[in-house]
Amino acid sequence: MIFNIGGGHVGTIAANFATLFQTAFGVQGTVLAVEPATALAMDVYGFEISMIMGLGFIFGLVIAKLTPLKSIFLTGQHYLFFAAVIGLIFISNGMPTWVTVIFGSLVLGFAGAGLPKLAQKYTDELTGNAGVALGHFNLIFYWFSGVIGSVIGGKNWQAKKEKAANRELPDFFSVFRDFVFSVAFFMIILFYIATIAAVLSGHMDVVQEMAGNDLWFLYPLIQGLQFAAGMSVLIYGVRQFIAELTAAFVAISEKYIPGSMPAVDVPVFFQYAPTMVPVGFITSFIGGLTATFAMAAMGSPVVLLPAAGIAFFSGGTMGVFGSIRGGLKGAIIASFLGGILLTALPLVLFPAFSELGITDAGFPQIDYNIIGILLDKILKLFS
């Protein structure tokens, strides 16, 4: 219930932003926020997504038991989000429910058990072989961030890693370590850009109507704050939902899958290079805006905008992994390129999702989109 309430609230605010953006610029503007996109998908295809998530957990354990892919993926909300992407791709290709559930679960299970191994070398270097894996579905690019850092760092990467981990940043950057503040700050800016552009383009009547009893020039501020508040509720609901499921899978894996390694969420790794998190966050968001402006310049009928929450967690982690061997320069380059991909890649699958009614939010994570695009190409051979 908490998840649905938060998702409904954020979805409403995202729809308001899309209306303003379309009014101002004449194109559809969608903020790439995975939580409201999942809530929209669950509202219509809840059975398929829930079954893919549940069976995907089980298949992931079986794969870890029987193969060298020993990661136990414990970031349950990412299983939920990826299940939504996989389910929507199968459904958009006209697959029967049983095919969607069984084969979608297998894809999810292999992703959960196998993808953490891709970045494990850099995870071990970061943590000092702490015996944990990274469970966050940007693993293809976290691995590539490490590669970028390796190229930049060369033979002296150890010294650059220590320098990046201990670097002091200006006090201004410290405020962005708070997730809710970051979301509010950037959503307020985006709302003001869309609102002022709508007013300057002669659509004051639309802005006044949307603002209702609020002063129109305070409306963007209120909407940005309400979006951040809704995200707080939504994320709390996701964590409550996942916490109830995860404990059972932890117990099963410890008892029946010896040698397995827990794959955990990204905040666990922020402590190893905390100053690189805000660097990655800001640079990733700038990269996302670069992709947005490129879409607009190329005349795309849909313009996707980076979400502050995704830039914080995903971009921050790209910065951390880029800094392992590449120092500050590696963090900046990796997170900037990652921000571009986080915003640009979802454009490929957006038409298929929009046909199913998912238009006011999107799924930006890189693993979702790379694997999703490949899966969509394969399914089109059979659909």
Side-chain angles (χ1 to χ4, degrees):
M1 293 302 297
I2 295 171
F3 176 70
N4 287 336
I5 290 169
H9 183 75
V10 172
T12 299
I13 305 297
N16 291 343
F17 177 82
T19 300
L20 278 173
F21 197 91
Q22 188 167 1
T23 300
F25 300 106
V27 294
Q28 181 178 343
T30 297
V31 178
L32 292 167
V34 67
E35 291 89 356
T38 303
L40 290 169
M42 288 282 286
D43 191 45
V44 183
Y45 306 107
F47 173 77
E48 291 88 343
I49 293 169
S50 299
M51 291 297 293
I52 291 172
M53 180 186 176
L55 286 178
F57 259 126
I58 295 170
F59 284 146
L61 296 176
V62 173
I63 292 165
K65 175 71 173 178
L66 300 178
T67 75
L69 305 175
K70 294 295 184 183
S71 298
I72 307 298
F73 202 96
L74 299 180
T75 311
Q77 67 268 29
H78 264 245
Y79 253 109
L80 175 63
F81 304 151
F82 207 171
V85 172
I86 293 169
L88 290 174
I89 291 171
F90 272 90
I91 293 166
S92 69
N93 280 281
M95 294 295 153
T97 299
W98 71 270
V99 173
T100 298
V101 170
I102 299 298
F103 288 94
S105 301
L106 283 170
V107 172
L108 183 59
F110 271 106
L115 284 177
K117 192 175 182 65
L118 187 63
Q120 193 60 46
K121 177 176 74 171
Y122 299 112
T123 304
D124 288 339
E125 289 177 2
L126 177 68
T127 63
N129 296 301
V132 295
L134 176 56
H136 197 260
F137 281 128
N138 276 313
L139 285 154
I140 295 172
F141 200 86
Y142 296 149
W143 163 77
F144 191 62
S145 296
V147 172
I148 291 171
S150 298
V151 173
I152 293 171
K155 295 180 179 180
N156 299 320
W157 67 268
Q158 286 278 14
K160 293 188 177 183
K161 174 187 174 184
E162 294 297 324
K163 186 177 180 180
N166 298 316
R167 182 181 292 270
E168 293 291 331
L169 294 176
D171 292 340
F172 169 75
F173 281 85
S174 64
V175 298
F176 293 107
R177 293 178 182 172
D178 183 273
F179 166 69
V180 178
F181 172 85
S182 300
V183 171
F185 180 82
F186 283 104
M187 284 306 298
I188 288 170
I189 290 175
L190 291 175
F191 260 103
Y192 267 110
I193 290 173
T195 301
I196 292 172
V199 171
L200 293 178
S201 62
H203 295 95
M204 173 63 87
D205 55 332
V206 175
V207 175
Q208 289 280 17
E209 182 179 352
M210 294 184 68
N213 293 328
D214 297 324
L215 297 171
W216 74 267
F217 54 84
L218 291 180
Y219 177 69
L221 173 67
I222 295 169
Q223 290 287 284
L225 293 174
Q226 286 187 350
F227 187 91
M231 284 292 289
S232 300
V233 174
L234 183 54
I235 289 172
Y236 176 76
V238 169
R239 288 173 178 167
Q240 290 284 93
F241 176 57
I242 298 304
E244 301 298 328
L245 296 175
T246 302
F249 290 101
V250 172
I252 291 169
S253 63
E254 288 177 348
K255 184 173 179 62
Y256 297 110
I257 312 176
S260 61
M261 182 179 293
V264 296
D265 205 354
V266 291
V268 173
F269 303 92
F270 287 174
Q271 60 182 311
Y272 296 100
T275 55
M276 293 300 102
V277 176
V279 170
F281 164 46
I282 298 296
T283 312
S284 171
F285 197 84
I286 293 171
L289 289 176
T290 302
T292 297
F293 290 133
M295 291 178 207
M298 294 167 63
S300 173
V302 178
V303 174
L304 304 180
L305 294 101
I310 298 298
F312 180 84
F313 289 108
S314 300
T317 309
M318 291 169 186
V320 169
F321 272 69
S323 73
I324 294 172
R325 294 191 174 191
L328 178 62
K329 187 182 293 184
I332 291 173
I333 293 174
S335 55
F336 180 78
L337 293 176
I340 291 174
L341 291 179
L342 285 168
T343 305
L345 276 178
L347 194 63
V348 179
L349 291 173
F350 189 84
F353 292 168
S354 63
E355 288 180 2
L356 300 177
I358 315 299
T359 58
D360 295 329
F363 300 90
Q365 306 290 18
I366 290 172
D367 291 354
Y368 300 165
N369 286 282
I370 290 178
I371 294 175
I373 291 167
L374 293 174
L375 180 62
D376 186 56
K377 297 295 184 185
I378 292 170
L379 289 176
K380 276 182 166 44
L381 299 176
F382 301 95
S383 61

